[in-house]
Amino acid sequence: MLSNWRKNKNKKRQNDNYRQELDPQKPENQVILRNIDENIFRIKGELGNSSDLVFRDFKLGSLRGTAIYIDGLADNQMISDFFLESISDSKVDSNQNLFEVLMRKTIGLGNIQTITNWNEVFDSFLSGNTLFFLDGYNRAIDVETKGWEKRAITEPTTQLSIRGPRDSFTETIRTNTALIRRRIKSPNLWLEPMKIGTVTQTDIGIMYIKGIANEKIVKEVKERLKRIDIDSVLSSGYIEQLIEDQTWTNFPTTYHSERPDIVVSQLLEGRVAILVDGSPFVVTVPALFIQFFQSPDDYYSRFDISTAIRLLRILSFFISFIGPSLYIAATTFHQEMIPTTLLIAIAAQREAVPFPAFVEAFIMEVTFEILREAGLRLPRAVGQAVSIVGALVIGQAAVQAGFVSPVMVIVVSITAIANFSTPVFSMAISARLLRFILMILASILGFYGLLLGVTFIMIHLCSLRSFGIPYMMPLAPFSLRGQQDVFIRFPIWAMKNRPKFISKGNLARTGENQKPGPPSQGQDQTNKGDQG
């Protein structure tokens, strides 16, 4: 027993010494070793002998080899077929360079490369690739065998469209880039990879159209991404918060979408897209205020219909923004501005209510926000039913109990419905939060407080920048040419140029004489002759 104890102790001491010798911080230990057992020992040690680490031994001529991959990240079927058909039955000449032979045989698996650095080793098979080691060679073959489970392409859930495409981004970055390239078949569509996150090593893709995108904005995006020093990036929301121009603002200064058609249209305007592996939302910059009120259906329908709906959408945003504040200011300070008949009806309804208008509105707004949040968190089958039934029951019960007046229920309901018409959730929730500040100002100073609050918000909006571009462009500073897609959506044939304040390259969008019209007189006469 004593001898066994000494043997185990000596073995443990040797292993500890070996770990110290293979300290990855030492420059001499960054190169792959020729001894395959030492390489395997280091990989097991670095990953803690994880159970999903797979080692497949094989024989090539007189040398022993090992294929290493992570179960669940690599395509097991592809690797097994390769082993059965290619390596296992291979016969090689002893005079050949066996490493070159192995490289030729692994070509059938896909994209391959040779690596010699340990950092590249772990980067490789932790990304779903397979590494082939051959005893006696201080390099390995990196074969792309990614094959993890992924969600299928489904319909968008947050940005719905009537006439638009029905596909949306997924959590796989390569699928997302393919959805964009399907729509832009141009060699000028560039994709530059990057890894962010010291622990997660998340794959990031910067996509833009060379010649259309502003090179200064592209350079600024790259510099801001390179400055990020964080241990993990689990979603595109992490990136948004780390690259935005202004932190202390309630308004979104970056745009995110799950629809490929929206991202493609913004790339064609000269914007830059940021794709994050593991996130079904793609971030585009720079973002402008008016951009959050544009819907995909605006461009799939006639311009007159699209313009009317967009104006209604903007009006709904302002109703959701200042609706309760107007009611509080009018009923508390400015009763003379309300028609007499309506004022008498409101006063009769509020006769039994023990609270002032502000407290009444605050109770209803908070209650509705709680119901909306509960509807989002509950299972989909019961979430909508609970939010709708809860609003009806609580509203009716609150009126009968005398806590609120019926007109307040109407005001809060109209405000909530108007808030849902904003196409982008990040802009809609900004209005929901600022609504409470305006309610407080209206309850203290009336219309003067409301006007003061709106003025400060407008000044704040005009001071914002998104990657150096003024947030309120093309309204402030005003650009006449940029008005073709703000409040009024011009016809497609009339939108000849891209936004000059975003794109600095090819500004031409359409060719000459794109305006539709009846056939020319000569062509009309030809058609009549053919009919005769």
Side-chain angles (χ1 to χ4, degrees):
M1 291 180 61
L2 185 61
S3 61
N4 291 335
W5 178 81
R6 286 178 177 173
K7 287 181 180 179
N8 293 333
K9 186 176 180 179
N10 292 333
K11 186 176 181 181
K12 182 178 182 301
R13 185 181 301 165
Q14 291 175 359
N15 290 338
D16 292 340
N17 294 335
Y18 182 66
R19 290 192 183 94
Q20 293 176 4
E21 292 175 0
L22 291 182
D23 184 3
Q25 302 300 326
K26 296 181 180 179
E28 62 271 16
N29 292 329
Q30 294 296 328
V31 181
I32 296 175
L33 303 176
R34 294 182 181 276
N35 191 317
I36 192 172
D37 292 322
E38 293 178 352
N39 293 328
I40 294 174
F41 181 84
R42 177 166 184 174
I43 292 174
K44 288 183 177 180
E46 291 284 343
L47 272 73
N49 203 14
S50 301
S51 59
D52 58 349
L53 191 60
V54 180
F55 296 87
R56 299 284 296 271
D57 293 332
F58 61 91
K59 195 82 171 177
L60 188 63
S62 60
L63 297 182
R64 183 168 65 94
T66 300
I68 305 174
Y69 61 92
I70 299 290
D71 188 21
L73 295 183
D75 190 340
N76 290 337
Q77 187 64 38
M78 181 191 299
I79 298 170
S80 297
D81 292 344
F82 170 73
F83 268 99
L84 292 175
E85 298 179 6
S86 183
I87 293 184
S88 300
D89 300 332
S90 61
K91 295 180 180 179
V92 296
D93 188 359
S94 58
N95 296 325
Q96 290 180 297
N97 187 328
L98 298 183
F99 192 85
E100 297 295 334
V101 172
L102 184 60
M103 283 195 67
R104 288 197 299 270
K105 290 184 174 298
T106 52
I107 288 177
L109 276 174
N111 185 28
I112 68 169
Q113 61 179 344
T114 303
I115 58 176
T116 59
N117 191 283
W118 273 108
N119 291 331
E120 296 175 343
V121 167
F122 295 108
D123 228 13
S124 174
F125 64 76
L126 289 175
S127 300
N129 292 357
T130 301
L131 286 178
F132 291 87
F133 289 88
L134 202 59
D135 198 17
Y137 292 90
N138 60 347
R139 55 191 187 274
I141 300 176
D142 178 19
V143 184
E144 186 174 352
T145 56
K146 295 181 178 70
W148 54 72
E149 296 295 329
K150 58 184 178 180
R151 182 171 62 93
I153 298 174
T154 57
E155 292 191 19
T157 56
T158 59
Q159 294 176 312
L160 303 179
S161 174
I162 298 174
R163 293 189 60 182
R166 294 292 189 268
D167 55 345
S168 65
F169 291 121
T170 67
E171 288 76 15
T172 307
I173 188 172
R174 196 53 64 223
T175 302
N176 297 340
T177 57
L179 289 173
I180 296 175
R181 287 198 179 276
R182 278 182 56 193
R183 291 167 166 82
I184 304 180
K185 301 177 180 66
S186 170
N188 293 326
L189 179 61
W190 287 15
L191 174 64
E192 299 185 13
M194 186 181 295
K195 286 186 181 293
I196 300 179
T198 56
V199 177
T200 59
Q201 290 289 304
T202 306
D203 290 319
I204 308 292
I206 306 169
M207 186 172 275
Y208 59 95
I209 301 179
K210 184 71 172 178
I212 294 180
N214 189 340
E215 293 295 336
K216 292 183 179 179
I217 296 178
V218 174
K219 182 180 178 181
E220 182 66 22
V221 171
K222 295 177 184 177
E223 290 179 353
R224 294 191 188 187
L225 289 175
K226 289 177 181 178
R227 286 200 302 264
I228 295 177
D229 186 11
I230 191 172
D231 61 347
S232 63
V233 175
L234 304 180
S235 174
S236 58
Y238 284 58
I239 300 295
E240 288 187 61
Q241 299 176 61
L242 294 169
I243 65 173
E244 58 187 358
D245 289 55
Q246 180 67 37
T247 300
W248 304 107
T249 180
N250 198 43
F251 294 94
T253 54
T254 59
Y255 190 94
H256 61 267
S257 176
E258 64 171 343
R259 296 183 61 94
D261 57 333
I262 292 180
V263 174
V264 166
S265 65
Q266 294 182 6
L267 286 171
L268 291 170
E269 287 186 345
R271 291 181 170 87
V272 181
I274 303 172
L275 299 91
V276 180
D277 192 28
S279 175
F281 289 89
V282 174
V283 180
T284 56
V285 293
L288 305 180
F289 179 77
I290 195 63
Q291 180 182 345
F292 294 89
F293 301 96
Q294 297 171 349
S295 172
D297 283 320
D298 291 352
Y299 307 95
Y300 302 145
S301 305
R302 287 180 50 86
F303 75 97
D304 49 354
I305 298 173
S306 302
T307 299
I309 295 176
R310 182 179 294 182
L311 292 174
L312 180 63
R313 202 179 296 135
I314 296 173
L315 176 63
S316 299
F317 175 78
F318 283 104
I319 291 175
S320 67
F321 195 55
I322 63 175
S325 307
L326 283 173
Y327 174 79
I328 293 171
T331 57
T332 306
F333 293 95
H334 309 282
Q335 295 90 346
E336 69 279 0
M337 299 185 67
I338 305 175
T340 305
T341 306
L342 179 60
L343 180 63
I344 293 173
I346 294 175
Q349 293 177 9
R350 298 196 70 255
E351 185 178 3
V353 178
F355 306 113
F358 168 72
V359 176
E360 187 182 3
F362 185 81
I363 292 174
M364 288 303 298
E365 286 289 347
V366 172
T367 302
F368 189 84
E369 293 296 332
I370 293 173
L371 285 171
R372 175 155 38 188
E373 191 67 18
L376 292 174
R377 300 291 173 261
L378 288 171
R380 185 175 299 179
V382 297
Q384 295 181 353
V386 168
S387 59
I388 294 173
V389 173
L392 293 174
V393 172
I394 292 177
Q396 183 66 24
V399 171
Q400 293 180 353
F403 284 103
V404 296
S405 60
V407 66
M408 178 55 72
V409 176
I410 295 174
V411 170
V412 172
S413 301
I414 292 175
T415 302
I417 294 172
N419 187 259
F420 286 132
S421 64
T422 305
V424 183
F425 176 76
S426 56
M427 180 59 73
I429 198 171
S430 299
R432 286 162 53 186
L433 295 178
L434 290 175
R435 185 190 308 157
F436 289 95
I437 298 177
L438 295 179
M439 287 167 54
I440 295 173
L441 292 174
S443 66
I444 298 174
L445 299 174
F447 280 147
Y448 176 74
L450 177 59
L451 183 61
L452 191 66
V454 172
T455 302
F456 273 108
I457 291 172
M458 292 301 298
I459 293 173
H460 174 68
L461 285 171
C462 292
S463 68
L464 291 178
R465 296 288 187 273
S466 178
F467 284 79
I469 305 298
Y471 192 57
M472 294 300 291
M473 281 288 285
L475 299 174
F478 184 79
S479 172
L480 182 61
R481 179 178 292 183
Q483 302 302 314
Q484 59 186 2
D485 194 21
V486 182
F487 298 110
I488 299 176
R489 202 274 283 171
F490 281 32
I492 296 295
W493 56 266
M495 299 170 65
K496 296 182 179 180
N497 298 313
R498 297 183 176 86
K500 189 177 181 180
F501 46 87
I502 294 178
S503 175
K504 296 297 183 181
N506 181 14
L507 296 178
R509 216 176 212 164
T510 63
E512 297 295 331
N513 301 322
Q514 296 298 306
K515 183 179 179 180
S520 61
Q521 186 175 1
Q523 184 179 356
D524 193 30
Q525 294 295 332
T526 303
N527 293 339
K528 288 181 180 180
D530 293 341
Q531 292 176 2

